[in-house]
């Protein structure tokens, strides 16, 4: 089973696949990707937005109106706004992070890139991300797109996942390894 058929098997994957097909048809894959990146950043920064997407109390109509207002405020492009409306109408706003991830995977695959999920203790700046992309390109031999996450519990270093391969250089893992070695 190839990667795209695995994505289509999930609920969020079906939404992402439909969005990707529309974006491809309209030559707007990059615009949709940019809008989804903006939305992902907003979700990471706003507890209120997270609560909205996970609220079982809101009616479909209220959720649709709220998400449309948020999309307008964030300046999201039309296809992204439309898929958010569909998610709200189907009471699936909680699937937004998974849809974003699946769309990014599809877009990267379409561009011939490999996606690396990078977790760091602190946010990485653009210069660090570009240096990381260059190192990963040397390692895997093709272009790499990077999806970042912040987890202060790793204390420092990075955890990089590329497909089924994981490179864990976090301080937390090193301390755990040292602790196990000292125990005998």
């Amino acid at each position: 089973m190839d990667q795209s058929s695995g994505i289509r098997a999930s609920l969020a994957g079906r939404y992402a696949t439909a969005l990707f097909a529309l974006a491809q048809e309209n030559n707007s894959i990059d615009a949709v990707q940019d809008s989804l990146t903006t939305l992902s950043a907003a979700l990471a920064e706003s507890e209120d937005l997270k609560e909205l997407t996970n609220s079982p109390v809101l009616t479909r109509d209220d959720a649709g109106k709220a998400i449309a207002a948020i999309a307008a405020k964030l300046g999201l492009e039309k296809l992204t706004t439309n898929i958010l409306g569909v998610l709200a109408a189907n009471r699936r706003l909680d699937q937004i992070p998974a849809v974003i991830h699946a769309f990014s995977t599809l877009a990267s695959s379409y561009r011939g890139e490999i996606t690396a999920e990078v977790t760091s203790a602190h946010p990485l700046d653009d210069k660090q991300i570009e240096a990381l992309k260059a190192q990963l390109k040397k390692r895997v031999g093709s272009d790499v797109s990077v999806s970042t996450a912040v987890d202060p519990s790793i204390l420092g270093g990075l955890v990089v996942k590329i497909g089924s391969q994981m490179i864990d250089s976090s301080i937390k893992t090193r301390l755990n390894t040292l602790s196990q070695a000292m125990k005998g």
Side-chain angles (χ1 to χ4, degrees):
M1 178 164 74
D2 71 4
Q3 187 178 33
S4 62
S5 62
I7 288 172
R8 285 190 294 268
S10 70
L11 176 65
R14 290 192 295 271
Y15 286 105
T17 301
L19 178 59
F20 183 80
L22 289 170
Q24 191 174 14
E25 200 174 285
N26 291 298
N27 294 319
S28 60
I29 294 172
D30 291 336
V32 171
Q33 182 81 55
D34 291 344
S35 286
L36 292 175
T37 300
T38 300
L39 180 59
S40 181
L43 277 168
E45 293 173 7
S46 172
E47 284 301 316
D48 290 339
L49 182 54
K50 280 184 210 170
E51 286 179 27
L52 168 75
T53 62
N54 292 306
S55 175
V57 179
L58 283 175
T59 65
R60 293 172 196 250
D61 190 46
D62 288 344
K65 287 177 184 173
I67 205 71
I70 291 166
K73 183 171 174 100
L74 293 174
L76 303 183
E77 61 78 51
K78 186 179 178 191
L79 289 175
T80 306
T81 302
N82 290 346
I83 197 73
L84 291 174
V86 171
L87 289 168
N90 293 332
R91 300 190 67 77
R92 301 283 188 214
L93 287 176
D94 63 326
Q95 294 293 310
I96 290 173
V99 170
I100 292 170
H101 179 74
F103 185 91
S104 293
T105 301
L106 290 169
S108 292
S109 177
Y110 176 76
R111 293 183 193 110
E113 298 174 336
I114 296 173
T115 302
E117 297 174 26
V118 178
T119 304
S120 60
H122 304 284
L124 300 175
D125 62 31
D126 291 339
K127 193 173 183 180
Q128 291 170 319
I129 291 172
E130 289 306 315
L132 181 60
K133 283 182 182 180
Q135 288 298 318
L136 292 173
K137 183 176 181 173
K138 285 182 193 174
R139 184 177 180 114
V140 298
S142 65
D143 288 336
V144 178
S145 66
V146 175
S147 167
T148 60
V150 176
D151 180 3
S153 73
I154 69 169
L155 304 175
L158 298 173
V159 178
V160 181
K161 293 180 190 173
I162 303 174
S164 62
Q165 184 181 24
M166 185 166 88
I167 306 162
D168 188 345
S169 66
S170 67
I171 293 176
K172 179 180 179 179
T173 299
R174 290 179 185 184
L175 289 173
N176 287 339
T177 303
L178 181 61
S179 173
Q180 291 299 318
M182 291 176 72
K183 288 181 182 177

